[in-house]
Amino acid sequence: MPTVENKAALAEIYAKAKAKIEAGVIPTTFIEAGHVLYRSINPESPRTYLPKPSAGGHVSKGLANKLLIPLDGADDRGNRFSGPSYDGSILPAPGLYCVLQQQALVNESTHYSGKAPKWALAGRCVLRVCVMGRLLVADLPPHNPRAMRFFRELGKDTWQRVNDPKDCSIARGIGLAVAQSGFLQGLCVQTVRESERSDEERGDNLVLFAPPGRAVPALYIEGAYYYGKRAQPEVFAVDFP
C-alpha cells in the first residue's frame, strides 16, 4: 500500500488543488441516481464483517449499512486519496472506495490477491450499491482531456506522481482538497491497477467522502455476491432485520 512519503509535497499540492477548485476549473461530472457501484470487502474481517447467510436467507441490512462508513480519516489505512494529512492546517478525510465498472473491480482484486483474474474474488463479498441521489464528483480519469490539463497545471509529472505505487503524497493532497471543497462529494479516477487485456480497460474508481463516523449519503445496498471456490458467486438480497 502507498504511504505519505513527502508531507511538504502533500501540503503544497493541496494548496494548489484547493485554489483551482475554488476558481471553478476542476473538471466535474454527475453520478446519476440509479447508477450501480460495486464494493469488494472481506466478509470475515472484523472491520468489514458480513457473514454469508444460509441458503434462502438474506444479508442483514443493519450490518451491510455499516460498510458505507469509511474506515480511514484520521486513521491512515494506506488509501491513496483519503486519510490523514500529517499537517495540522489540513483536515483529514474519510473515503469510501467503490468502482464504476466491473473490470476495475477485477483489476483491483487481482492486484491485492495475487490470483488469476478468474479467481481474484475468491473469499470476497461484492456489494452491489445503487446511487439514490445525484452526486457531483471531480472527474479525473486520464481519458478526460480536461483532467489531464488539470494535472499538468498543478505541476510537472503530477499524473505520474498520483500513480506512484509507493508514495501517495500527491494523490492524498488532491483528494483532501476535493473532500474539503464544500460542494464535491468525491472523485472519479482511473484505477492504477493494470488490466491483463488492455491498458484501456483498467476502469475507474469512485472515492466518496463522508464526515468522520458517518455513512456516505445517497447510497443503497441492493445485493451481496459471495465468491467461493466456484466462478459464479452466491447471490443474496440485503434486507431487514
Side-chain angles (χ1 to χ4, degrees):
M1 292 184 180
T3 58
V4 174
E5 300 287 343
N6 190 329
K7 299 174 184 178
L10 186 157
E12 180 181 358
I13 203 73
Y14 170 86
K16 290 181 178 180
K18 183 173 182 290
K20 291 185 72 64
I21 292 170
E22 291 174 347
V25 293
I26 189 170
T28 61
T29 189
F30 284 108
I31 307 296
E32 301 289 350
H35 196 103
V36 173
L37 313 174
Y38 300 93
R39 174 165 166 77
S40 173
I41 63 161
N42 177 0
E44 301 298 327
S45 169
R47 287 179 174 267
T48 54
Y49 183 62
L50 196 66
K52 184 176 74 173
S54 56
H58 64 267
V59 172
S60 164
K61 184 172 283 292
L63 283 178
N65 283 347
K66 293 179 181 179
L67 302 178
L68 297 178
I69 302 174
L71 296 176
D72 52 5
D75 179 20
D76 197 333
R77 297 185 54 77
N79 290 323
R80 190 170 292 272
F81 293 97
S82 61
S85 66
Y86 302 100
D87 185 309
S89 66
I90 303 173
L91 292 174
L96 186 77
Y97 289 71
C98 303
V99 298
L100 289 171
Q101 302 91 12
Q102 294 184 39
Q103 71 264 29
L105 179 67
V106 173
N107 293 338
E108 291 279 352
S109 300
T110 299
H111 171 83
Y112 285 110
S113 70
K115 301 174 184 177
K118 182 178 180 180
W119 303 108
L121 291 169
R124 307 288 293 181
C125 173
V126 174
L127 302 176
R128 178 184 168 94
V129 183
C130 183
V131 177
M132 300 299 290
R134 207 182 207 196
L135 303 176
L136 180 64
V137 301
D139 189 28
L140 301 177
H143 49 76
N144 179 356
R146 293 184 63 225
M148 298 312 292
R149 178 180 177 180
F150 174 79
F151 288 123
R152 286 194 301 271
E153 291 177 350
L154 288 178
K156 183 180 179 181
D157 300 329
T158 299
W159 173 243
Q160 288 77 11
R161 296 175 72 186
V162 164
N163 290 283
D164 190 310
K166 296 181 179 179
D167 182 8
C168 65
S169 304
I170 299 301
R172 181 77 59 82
I174 294 171
L176 296 183
V178 170
Q180 307 303 335
S181 67
F183 68 96
L184 295 169
Q185 282 81 52
L187 62 88
C188 173
V189 68
Q190 179 181 266
T191 174
V192 300
R193 312 306 171 196
E194 295 181 359
S195 168
E196 65 165 359
R197 295 165 57 180
S198 166
D199 195 51
E200 301 298 322
E201 295 185 30
R202 293 191 180 195
D204 298 324
N205 288 332
L206 182 67
V207 185
L208 297 173
F209 298 107
R214 300 272 297 276
V216 173
L219 299 183
Y220 179 87
I221 301 178
E222 294 184 319
Y225 302 74
Y226 287 82
Y227 288 82
K229 296 181 180 180
R230 297 181 298 175
Q232 296 300 317
E234 295 181 73
V235 184
F236 295 91
V238 179
D239 205 351
F240 291 108

